[in-house]
Amino acid sequence: MFVGALTLDILLGDVRSLKQKRSVVRPIVAELQRACSASVAETGDQDLYRRSEIGVAVVAATAAHCSQLLDTCERLVAERPEVELLSARQRLFSPEED
């Protein structure tokens, strides 16, 4: 069993309030949950209007499948026109890391 974690740092477009930010971030979180069967949450920069950090976690039987799921999540966010993906950090955890 492998656990994959992905941290996405995104810059939001023309957002001037936390309410507008939620209207951009919530659909992204929902799409990642639906498309990748992943656990997704906004994990940072919650008090900033134009920045957001989104955390994604997946579990898979192989490291390759885990990486594939995380790559898919990263691509889905990168393709969205209303946000700019500033950075993406992937980590894989396996039982051997005890």
Side-chain angles (χ1 to χ4, degrees), residues 1-2 7-8 11 13 26 39-40 50 52 54 59 62 66 69 75 86-87 92 95:
M1 173 184 76
F2 291 86
T7 304
L8 301 167
L11 178 65
R26 278 187 179 169
S39 294
V40 185
R50 296 200 58 224
S52 182
I54 296 176
V59 176
T62 65
C66 218
L69 288 169
R75 192 174 341 98
L86 299 176
S87 69
L92 285 176

Side-chain angles (χ1 to χ4, degrees), residues 6 9 19 23 26 32 40-41 45-46 49 51 53 57 59 62 67 76 80 83 90 93 97:
L6 174 65
D9 184 17
K19 186 176 180 180
S23 72
R26 278 187 179 169
L32 293 174
V40 185
D45 296 328
Q46 286 139 338
Y49 294 165
R51 292 285 294 271
E53 179 184 275
V59 176
T62 65
S67 292
L76 286 172
R80 293 184 75 95
V83 300
Q90 288 188 19
F93 303 94
E97 293 180 0

Side-chain angles (χ1 to χ4, degrees), residues 3 12 21 24-25 40-44 46-47 53 55 59-60 62-64 76 82 85-86 91:
V3 177
L12 307 175
K21 177 181 180 176
V24 174
V25 172
V40 185
E42 184 178 7
T43 57
Q46 286 139 338
D47 57 339
E53 179 184 275
V59 176
T62 65
L76 286 172
E82 70 272 19
L85 182 60
L86 299 176
R91 294 188 64 197

